[in-house]
Amino acid sequence: MSLKESMKRLAYMCERCNEEGTEEYDVKDIVKSGAYAFDFNHDTLHSVETNIFKPWLTSALSSSPSSIHSVLSECWSRKSAINSHASTCKSLLSSLSKNRSVPSSLLALQKTCTTIASLIDSNIHDQDTVLVPSINAAATSSQQKRLNSRILKSLGITQARTHLSSMWEVVRHEPEEVELWKIKIPKVARIIAGSKSWEDKIGRMKEITPNSL
């Protein structure tokens, strides 16, 4: 599951836990799903971006026009803000796990997750309209596949399986995304993505469908 999708679903769970008369989810559900969203999904993504993707991208786009670098700088600035908000969410989840100030913590967590999702949306827009075309012009498909293989190797088999499986759950409903998946993701990795190991980690977040949000 993408980080954006995790944020939207976690915010939804907080809202339904807060909503008087419904309370579809309890605090334990939110803490478990939040652990996946931040301790695994966000932290794994942040490590990969910092140690592998950012250096590769900086090198690949080194000869690009200044306008491209300006957009890239904006994206990294938003990612820095996302990391800061993620730290806030972890503190809120820790508070919730101890059952302290539950209503205020739930509301704060909901709002912060929504903010993160909005920042990710802005980055996705810049990536799709500016950065992806620039990357495709600067790096061959083979070079990009080697990057993906390097990232998967850095994760290790267990983390890679969980990450790929959850990603596949998001893209498999969109034909265009499926085609990109086939092009960008190595064949062995696509086979690994058939695992359902991620479902145990995300708790009741898996029950939420895109139509619910």
Side-chain angles (χ1 to χ4, degrees):
M1 185 178 299
S2 68
L3 183 59
K4 173 188 168 182
E5 188 71 16
S6 295
M7 295 301 99
K8 289 169 63 178
R9 294 191 186 198
L10 196 58
Y12 176 86
M13 291 175 72
C14 289
E15 179 184 10
R16 302 303 286 179
C17 188
N18 263 326
E19 199 167 282
E20 186 176 353
T22 58
E23 296 186 355
E24 293 179 22
Y25 305 97
D26 62 31
V27 170
K28 288 187 294 184
D29 295 327
I30 291 167
V31 169
K32 179 171 183 177
S33 293
Y36 167 83
F38 293 102
D39 295 341
F40 176 78
N41 207 343
H42 169 268
D43 288 359
T44 300
L45 178 64
H46 177 57
S47 176
V48 166
E49 285 179 339
T50 301
N51 299 317
I52 299 177
F53 186 64
K54 187 174 183 178
W56 181 90
L57 188 59
T58 300
S59 176
L61 299 181
S62 59
S63 300
S64 297
S66 58
S67 58
I68 303 298
H69 289 279
S70 178
V71 172
L72 186 58
S73 178
E74 284 293 323
C75 285
W76 293 131
S77 178
R78 291 189 199 105
K79 287 181 184 295
S80 179
I82 288 170
N83 294 335
S84 178
H85 287 308
S87 295
T88 298
C89 287
K90 286 183 178 183
S91 295
L92 290 168
L93 286 164
S94 177
S95 175
L96 285 169
S97 70
K98 298 167 186 173
N99 209 31
R100 296 175 182 170
S101 305
V102 169
S104 59
S105 294
L106 280 171
L107 183 59
L109 182 61
Q110 178 189 346
K111 290 181 176 180
T112 309
C113 286
T114 301
T115 298
I116 292 174
S118 178
L119 288 166
I120 294 172
D121 259 337
S122 296
N123 270 2
I124 289 173
H125 175 268
D126 283 351
Q127 289 164 9
D128 288 348
T129 59
V130 179
L131 297 180
V132 170
S134 299
I135 291 170
N136 289 337
T140 65
S141 177
S142 295
Q143 288 174 319
Q144 293 180 51
K145 281 189 174 183
R146 284 198 294 273
L147 171 66
N148 287 330
S149 295
R150 182 182 169 198
I151 289 171
L152 293 174
K153 185 177 180 180
S154 74
L155 292 175
I157 187 65
T158 301
Q159 280 195 327
R161 180 185 292 114
T162 301
H163 196 64
L164 286 164
S165 300
S166 59
M167 285 176 61
W168 172 245
E169 182 63 21
V170 175
V171 306
R172 70 185 181 89
H173 303 289
E174 302 290 338
E176 291 184 4
E177 294 295 326
V178 170
E179 289 306 310
L180 283 173
W181 173 271
K182 292 177 180 178
I183 294 170
K184 301 293 185 182
I185 304 298
K187 184 176 180 179
V188 173
R190 297 201 303 271
I191 294 172
I192 290 174
S195 165
K196 291 292 184 180
S197 61
W198 64 283
E199 292 186 352
D200 292 334
K201 293 182 179 293
I202 70 173
R204 294 190 63 195
M205 191 187 286
K206 67 176 179 288
E207 300 171 8
I208 303 170
T209 64
N211 291 335
S212 302
L213 302 173

